[in-house]
Amino acid sequence: MLYVLPETTGDIIVLQANGTLTTADYTETFLPLFDHVKNTHPEVRLLITFAPDFEGFEAGALWEDMKFGTQHASDFHRVAIVGDAKWTDWMSKVADLLMKGEIRHYRMTQLLEALRWINDEDEDDEENEPLYPFGG
């Protein structure tokens, strides 16, 4: 099952995958949401969390995911894949080779860090640090 989380706003899509992802999850939930965001923003930011009870993809859902990935490889600014299973790290590395935007893998305990990264909150950290933090 695929859930759209409330942090979804503007060019940011935040999803959570539980149980088994179905073809209907792609065609009825993800694709219409992606199309709406892509029609209103030049690039999309995606954070997807694979919950501990995530069991995998139906064959049709896996096919939809592969088709989508090849058609939209240059439509993402950032993708954060959050999950503790070993395959999520591998999937992040493969996706990084195939997609134009930045892709990072985060553990479940790093969910807030992943949200900050998707929001670009860490991009200007170095520029905003005072040169003399103690007034000297």
Side-chain angles (χ1 to χ4, degrees):
M1 193 70 173
L2 193 63
Y3 298 98
V4 179
L5 299 183
E7 293 81 6
T8 296
T9 183
D11 66 343
I12 297 173
I13 298 173
V14 182
L15 305 171
Q16 180 173 319
N18 292 72
T20 302
L21 278 182
T22 66
T23 304
D25 290 326
Y26 269 91
T27 59
E28 297 171 16
T29 302
F30 178 67
L31 292 178
L33 177 59
F34 175 83
D35 288 341
H36 171 74
V37 172
K38 183 64 182 132
N39 286 334
T40 57
H41 297 85
E43 291 183 313
V44 177
R45 300 162 194 262
L46 173 66
L47 184 150
I48 184 162
T49 300
F50 291 95
D53 71 342
F54 180 73
E55 297 171 359
F57 298 83
E58 284 182 353
L62 190 56
W63 173 247
E64 289 294 326
D65 187 53
M66 290 172 27
K67 281 191 328 187
F68 177 85
T70 58
Q71 294 170 350
H72 298 282
S74 62
D75 290 339
F76 291 91
H77 176 64
R78 287 187 168 178
V79 176
I81 299 172
V82 181
D84 289 334
K86 291 180 182 178
W87 65 266
T88 56
D89 185 49
W90 174 83
M91 185 172 81
S92 301
K93 290 175 182 170
V94 170
D96 193 39
L97 296 172
L98 302 174
M99 296 180 75
K100 176 187 159 208
E102 294 178 79
I103 299 174
R104 290 188 185 174
H105 172 246
Y106 292 88
R107 312 280 295 155
M108 291 299 283
T109 57
Q110 299 172 305
L111 179 59
L112 292 177
E113 184 180 337
L115 281 169
R116 280 193 295 275
W117 180 71
I118 284 290
N119 281 298
D120 288 335
E121 291 180 17
D122 66 343
E123 279 191 346
D124 300 321
D125 287 352
E126 290 181 22
E127 295 175 13
N128 293 331
E129 289 181 4
L131 293 176
Y132 305 101
F134 302 106

